[in-house]
Amino acid sequence: MRMPINWAKEFADFTCTPQEFADRMTMSGSKVETYECEADGVKNIVVGKILSIIPHPDSDHMVICQVDVGAEAPVQIVTGAGNLKVGDLVPAALHVAKLPGGKEIRKGKLRGVESCGMLCSLGELGLTVHDFPNAVEDGILVFDEEWPVGTDAMHALGMDDVSVDFEITPNRPDCLAVRGLAREAAATFGVPFKDHIPQVKPGHGSVESMLRVDIENPELCYRYVGAVVENVRVKPSPRWMRERLRLCGVRPINNLVDITNYVMLEYGQPMHCFDYRYVNGGHIIVRSAKSGEEIETLDGVQRTLSEEMLVIADEKAPIAVAGVMGGEHSGVYEDTTTIVFESAMFNGPSVRTTAKKLGMRTEASGRYEKGLDPNGCRRCLDRALELVQLLDAGDVVNGVVDVCTQLRPERRIPLRPEAVNRLLGTELSREQMIEILLPLGFIMDGDDVIVPSDRWDMERDCDIAEEVARYIGYNKMPSTAVRGVASARPTERQTFRDSMLNLLVGCGMFEIETFSFYSRKCFDAVNLPENDPLRNALVISNPLGEDTSIMRTTALPSMMDVIARNYNARAAECALFEDTTTYTPNADPNQLPTETETLMLGAYGGKWDYLALKGVIEALAAAARISDLRFVRCTNGTSYHPGRCAEIYVGDEKLGVIGELHPKVLANYGVKPRVVAAELYMDVLFGHRGGTPIFTQLPKHPAITRDLALVADISVPAAEIAARIRQGAGKVLEELKLFDVYTGEHMAPGKKSLAYSLVLRAADRTLTDREAEDAVERVLSLLREIHVELRR
């Protein structure tokens, strides 16, 4: 809903900047999407007066004008327009002027004659002949009002008002009107609301002798009010009305059509006017359409109607689709002499259904479907008749035809301050609440709040509380604990999981989230054997499609889908993780599947290889205070590369698997670089977590370091060597680090060299060299059992 601020000021005399208006209206519940002024960015365009016009010496269509722009001397402007004469007032863009749209004007020469600006046409100012009907469309705009020379042309053109665009929620159709938004503004800024009561002067004759109205479907038409205007004088609307319509995004047409649009914008009630000549028998019938019945609407399209649609008909045929659009021959023409004004209330869902089926959603249908106020139909019609008399658009026939099947009953809500305060957590008095409600149109009758008929959203205490809260200001309300609800805190499992995920982010990995279902084709893609238990998946009874037909039993296909997508997008490096759930069917089909929380890791490129990912898993174990982590080589993998894969254990319980993916898997997904992945069972990780960290005093005694260069068979895992070193050194081993692995020249075939650094320290004494040598000797003794010797 767009609203010009100056129009709203007719109802509420507030003073503020556009930004302040937008901020305060938004905070009080009327959300402002944006605001704009047509004059923003426009500069140096003024009202100029033509002093003289002479032909251009080197052009047969250009003229040279001397223009008084309010400066010390006239300026010379060359133009090609032929509709000017001496004395005309025109918009003149001077040197370094900016037009609407951003075009810049500078002085220059046209055919050798200096021109210090440009005289502007309608199009160059962003206007049309609908905005200025007396202007020449392809010539210079000539003002038909007197303005002092030098006046800002934007002001003279009425383009300096600010138009505010509101986002109106479906429960507030009363704010689909300037009057409704102005009431909100008056309450927001604490100024009186100046409502306007339409006054229709006595006319002639009697409407009963000219117009009859029957409602045959009272369930879809609640009220129909009609009036007749004779001797209509179709002409352009006055400028103030055209300007307001333009700022609201409505194209001015003629005075009678503009009156209906103006009233709709002002009061929110759609209206229509029919040419009385095409209302056969002067009889309007509101009825359901007949099956297969046709009507040509105002947009020139022939439309076929159905029985659930409501139409406005005369004694022969439909003349309008109720609440949506009038018929082709129901409009106002230049030779129209008598019109019928309509102000009606139709069933909102019915209007929406009709508009959707006919594919013609209109401004009127959009308002009706939100639920308007049948009690306001007469007032809106009176406003239209008042404007007819004000604009001298015709002679009003006395009386109206008002057929009403149901009005909105008066609604009362008991004002219970204690209930409102309990909902809001405030301590407001009854008087403070009444002070907020009265400016919004509510009426107090004892302890009852009488709700305005256009506020159908008000029903109970919580609605009253909302009105009070938005005008107090949600940002000013105290923070209070929710009553009657248990204090919500993360569980220990949730806290643990979050700490693990945060650590992965700290390791440079990115979290992803994938669907929990995929296709059976994914099992082939990750190279699972035909008899693998993971192929036993839970089938979805109503899948979205074949690609989402089963619940996943392993998260590896989901991870590979994302890795392949990143690789195809030319990502040189990618490190991802996901906290997934896998589903294993229960042996009993009547039981729910077993859900397993699995931490899935995957990476390629850059630093990411087996050892880098192994370091991440060791960091997770360290953060979980798990000390007995073991990696056991796995040589029978199908999804993972045999020999480059390991099973991970905590004690004797399997934590997961880590390794490079099998080349077949990479080929299936079209990924060329090596990909490392790991699957960790969160239940095992959480179940083996250590206790609360205990403070350890900084060491008081010096450490002894020893380096061991060892020779072992290539088949001996480094993890087993490290385990024996720890076993042999015992409690005095403070730190163990593998700092070199060598398998090149000077090594016997099938052998490798590993260099370890040992830091030895006792907490209660200074270690002697003898104790350190004994510890090293115990280590070497254990290593000899697996044929690992010192390198000579």
Side-chain angles (χ1 to χ4, degrees), residues 412-650:
R412 291 172 175 258
I413 304 175
L415 177 60
R416 300 191 299 159
E418 69 282 357
V420 174
N421 283 324
R422 184 172 62 252
L423 286 168
L424 300 181
T426 55
E427 297 180 358
L428 299 173
S429 66
R430 180 177 184 274
E431 289 69 26
Q432 287 175 299
M433 296 180 187
I434 293 174
E435 199 174 305
I436 291 172
L437 295 173
L438 292 180
L440 294 172
F442 297 93
I443 299 173
M444 293 302 303
D445 183 12
D447 290 333
D448 288 344
V449 178
I450 300 177
V451 179
S453 60
D454 58 359
R455 291 296 306 274
W456 57 263
D457 60 313
M458 302 293 298
E459 294 181 345
R460 46 191 180 270
D461 290 335
C462 59
D463 299 317
I464 296 291
E466 182 182 1
E467 296 300 294
V468 171
R470 65 191 182 97
Y471 279 96
I472 290 175
Y474 289 105
N475 57 327
K476 296 180 182 178
M477 294 176 63
S479 298
T480 56
V482 179
R483 288 183 288 271
V485 178
S487 178
R489 295 188 183 91
T491 64
E492 186 178 358
R493 173 68 175 259
Q494 290 171 331
T495 302
F496 177 80
R497 181 189 62 214
D498 290 344
S499 67
M500 295 294 102
L501 301 186
N502 288 336
L503 190 147
L504 291 174
V505 173
C507 291
M509 307 187 80
F510 291 87
E511 185 173 10
I512 63 173
E513 188 169 352
T514 60
F515 291 117
S516 295
F517 35 77
Y518 46 49
S519 168
R520 289 192 180 276
K521 298 175 183 177
C522 293
F523 296 144
D524 296 328
V526 295
N527 203 30
L528 284 182
E530 289 296 329
N531 59 349
D532 196 298
L534 293 178
R535 284 184 176 266
N536 181 24
L538 190 69
V539 179
I540 300 174
S541 59
N542 57 339
L544 298 174
E546 173 60 28
D547 292 338
T548 56
S549 58
I550 60 172
M551 302 299 293
R552 64 183 171 195
T553 56
T554 170
L556 184 58
S558 303
M559 175 59 71
M560 282 306 302
D561 281 337
V562 180
I563 284 179
R565 191 177 306 121
N566 280 270
Y567 174 73
N568 292 331
R570 301 183 181 277
E573 179 180 347
C574 183
L576 310 171
F577 71 91
E578 182 181 9
D579 183 26
T580 70
T581 301
T582 57
Y583 303 84
T584 305
N586 200 298
D588 183 354
N590 296 319
Q591 298 294 320
L592 293 174
T594 301
E595 299 184 17
T596 305
E597 186 179 2
T598 306
L599 197 57
M600 185 74 222
L601 316 180
Y604 73 84
K607 68 176 184 179
W608 294 102
D609 56 13
Y610 174 88
L611 292 177
L613 194 61
K614 178 173 177 283
V616 170
I617 294 174
E618 290 172 338
L620 289 173
R625 298 179 293 284
I626 295 174
S627 58
D628 52 345
L629 190 71
R630 294 187 297 117
F631 294 83
V632 179
R633 177 179 294 177
C634 177
T635 59
N636 59 352
T638 56
S639 296
Y640 291 89
H641 194 300
R644 298 177 187 172
C645 168
E647 292 180 338
I648 311 168
Y649 288 86
V650 179

Side-chain angles (χ1 to χ4, degrees), residues 353-376:
T353 301
T354 299
K356 191 172 182 179
K357 285 190 174 182
L358 295 178
M360 48 186 302
R361 182 180 172 87
T362 62
E363 185 76 22
S365 68
R367 292 168 184 268
Y368 275 121
E369 68 187 32
K370 292 177 174 62
L372 300 179
D373 178 22
N375 300 30

